[in-house]
Amino acid sequence: TSDSAAVLAATEGLKLPGEAGSRVTMLRGRALCWSGRYEEGRDLLRLLLDGPLGAEARFHLANHAVDAGRKDAAIETLRRVWAD
């Protein structure tokens, strides 16, 4: 979508420290998934799994898996969110 393109353009090459940087990674990952670049977005979201944004990243990974027709993967990912 045009919103995804705007997010990707605004965050291209943006490096911020700490949680702000993690939020940029989350936003870019989601925008990539929304724009049909699921594998790239998934890879960015996975970078966040072991940090404080892990549950949120898993939730978005599950939603994008549903959108990609991968419901089994989404169910397993959501179970991990619940366990967190």
Side-chain angles (χ1 to χ4, degrees), residues 2 4 8 13 19 30 34 36-37 50-51 56 60 62-63 65 73 84:
S2 62
S4 297
L8 293 172
E19 185 178 344
R30 293 179 66 195
W34 290 325
R37 295 163 58 186
D50 293 328
E56 185 178 348
H60 293 301
N63 282 334
D84 283 350

Side-chain angles (χ1 to χ4, degrees), residues 45-74:
L45 291 171
R46 284 181 175 170
L47 294 173
L48 303 170
L49 293 179
D50 293 328
L53 299 178
E56 185 178 348
R58 279 187 180 84
F59 177 79
H60 293 301
L61 283 166
N63 282 334
H64 293 302
V66 168
D67 292 343
R70 301 179 56 235
K71 290 183 173 62
D72 289 340

Side-chain angles (χ1 to χ4, degrees), residues 1 3 17 22-23 29 37 40-41 61 65 71 75 79 81 84:
T1 67
D3 290 341
S22 295
R23 289 280 171 197
R37 295 163 58 186
E40 292 174 77
L61 283 166
K71 290 183 173 62
I75 290 169
R79 283 187 180 131
V81 169
D84 283 350

Side-chain angles (χ1 to χ4, degrees), residues 1-18:
T1 67
S2 62
D3 290 341
S4 297
V7 167
L8 293 172
T11 59
E12 181 70 32
L14 182 60
K15 304 283 189 216
L16 298 173

